[in-house]
Amino acid sequence: MVVEYRDVPIGFFKGWCMRFMLRGRYRIRRTERKIYVYQMHVRLEEGVYLHVFYRNFREIDGGLYTLRLETRPEHFERFTDILGELRHVASGIDFVSCDLAYDVPYALGDVFVAPNDMRRKLRKHNDTRYFGLPHQRKQNGYCRVYDKALELWQRHGIEYMGSLTRIEMVYKPETRIELADVGRYPPEQNRHYFASVVEDWSVFTAKLVERIRNWQLGEETYTRHVRETIKKTLAERLIDFNRLASERWKEILKQPCAAILGHTAT
């Protein structure tokens, strides 16, 4: 999750950095500067981190600049000691973006995901499907689809009983939304992707199975007519991203917003 603090004085920022460095709780290292003058990785413990970015290179004049924070939503509450000062000095706090995960209890090969905009290219690495190029990772609608059960085992040694596919999508509104109001703007990601679950491949003809598989794996995109036929065929088991996101959106925001704002978002 990414948030931005507006109009943070440079004098405050330097003092703020010095204070949490002296506390000794964090391991801090400078990271490569690409877009911001100051970039730091603040680590509390293994896997619990905060990326800090201050003063975009485009911000030339004045002594008030943008400060950006990025971490997992559940990690913000671990940094409340250094977040409290920020919310009192900034002129406002904006929601920038976050990744949303949709877990589907089916095997990866049985979960069909296709972009509505055919200009969005599919890439594959091992069995993971990426919709978008590497440099588009932070852009709205970037998506990856992978075997979550396999990842749990390989990375964490956790054995998941059954199949589990994860669809991860970036939500980055075109205009900034004040963090206190972001609960009223749940993602509408159906406009980016069509997704469905195939429970029984045997009900389809061999030709239709081949077409679905080819489009699913990016080997053939076919004509618009064929694509619409496939969508109609798979519509019965549609994955409704808009409904799923709206049902959980405020719950997802509750914990990080409480840590950042000192109260929950609306």
Side-chain angles (χ1 to χ4, degrees):
M1 180 171 170
V2 182
V3 297
E4 283 188 347
Y5 295 76
R6 299 192 300 268
D7 302 323
V8 176
I10 190 167
F12 168 85
F13 172 75
K14 291 181 177 180
W16 176 75
C17 290
M18 184 62 66
R19 284 191 291 277
F20 68 74
M21 286 179 183
L22 293 175
R23 285 174 184 149
R25 292 186 62 201
Y26 309 105
R27 294 183 179 181
I28 302 166
R29 62 178 174 84
R30 290 276 185 99
T31 56
E32 182 182 355
R33 296 186 303 170
K34 294 182 178 180
I35 302 177
Y36 291 81
V37 176
Y38 301 93
Q39 297 188 188
M40 295 181 294
H41 177 83
V42 180
R43 176 184 166 186
L44 177 60
E45 59 188 53
E46 183 66 32
V48 181
Y49 64 89
L50 190 66
H51 292 309
V52 180
F53 308 88
Y54 181 69
R55 189 180 177 182
N56 191 297
F57 279 116
R58 292 174 297 180
E59 298 178 306
I60 300 173
D61 300 324
L64 303 176
Y65 304 110
T66 301
L67 186 146
R68 171 178 287 201
L69 299 180
E70 179 178 353
T71 189
R72 295 175 62 89
E74 65 270 22
H75 290 171
F76 280 105
E77 67 175 2
R78 304 292 301 278
F79 295 92
T80 52
D81 58 326
I82 61 178
L83 295 178
E85 295 180 74
L86 282 174
R87 66 172 170 263
H88 294 301
V89 73
S91 65
I93 307 174
D94 296 326
F95 171 86
V96 178
S97 66
C98 70
D99 292 352
L100 278 90
Y102 303 89
D103 286 337
V104 186
Y106 288 85
L108 180 62
D110 295 334
V111 178
F112 179 90
V113 180
N116 293 323
D117 185 344
M118 298 309 297
R119 294 173 297 180
R120 194 181 294 275
K121 300 301 181 183
L122 169 63
R123 298 180 298 113
K124 291 180 291 183
H125 178 68
N126 296 327
D127 290 329
T128 300
R129 293 172 247 157
Y130 298 88
F131 293 94
L133 300 174
H135 71 274
Q136 298 172 321
R137 168 65 183 86
K138 302 294 185 180
Q139 293 183 10
N140 191 35
Y142 181 91
C143 176
R144 70 169 179 150
V145 185
Y146 62 97
D147 187 332
K148 182 61 178 179
L150 179 62
E151 188 218 34
L152 287 172
W153 174 251
Q154 291 181 338
R155 295 188 60 183
H156 306 288
I158 299 173
E159 185 175 3
Y160 182 86
M161 302 305 293
S163 299
L164 187 65
T165 295
R166 173 163 288 187
I167 304 170
E168 286 184 356
M169 240 181 285
V170 175
Y171 173 48
K172 186 176 183 179
E174 294 179 3
T175 58
R176 298 294 166 82
I177 302 170
E178 287 198 17
L179 187 62
D181 297 329
V182 72
R184 295 186 289 161
Y185 300 92
E188 296 182 352
Q189 295 177 316
N190 286 347
R191 67 190 182 98
H192 295 300
Y193 295 94
F194 172 89
S196 179
V197 170
V198 179
E199 293 184 309
D200 184 3
W201 290 92
S202 67
V203 301
F204 305 137
T205 65
K207 183 176 181 180
L208 183 55
V209 169
E210 180 183 15
R211 284 181 166 179
I212 294 172
R213 290 292 195 194
N214 285 343
W215 189 13
Q216 180 185 40
L217 300 175
E219 296 174 3
E220 177 62 71
T221 55
Y222 298 107
T223 64
R224 181 175 181 178
H225 173 72
V226 172
R227 295 197 302 269
E228 291 303 317
T229 299
I230 291 174
K231 287 182 178 181
K232 288 180 181 179
T233 303
L234 300 179
E236 185 176 340
R237 294 290 294 160
L238 182 72
I239 299 173
D240 188 343
F241 296 119
N242 290 3
R243 179 183 62 81
L244 293 171
S246 64
E247 290 175 350
R248 297 287 309 280
W249 185 233
K250 288 189 177 181
E251 181 183 344
I252 292 169
L253 294 171
K254 184 177 181 180
Q255 188 180 45
C257 286
I260 298 168
L261 299 172
H263 56 80
T264 56
T266 57

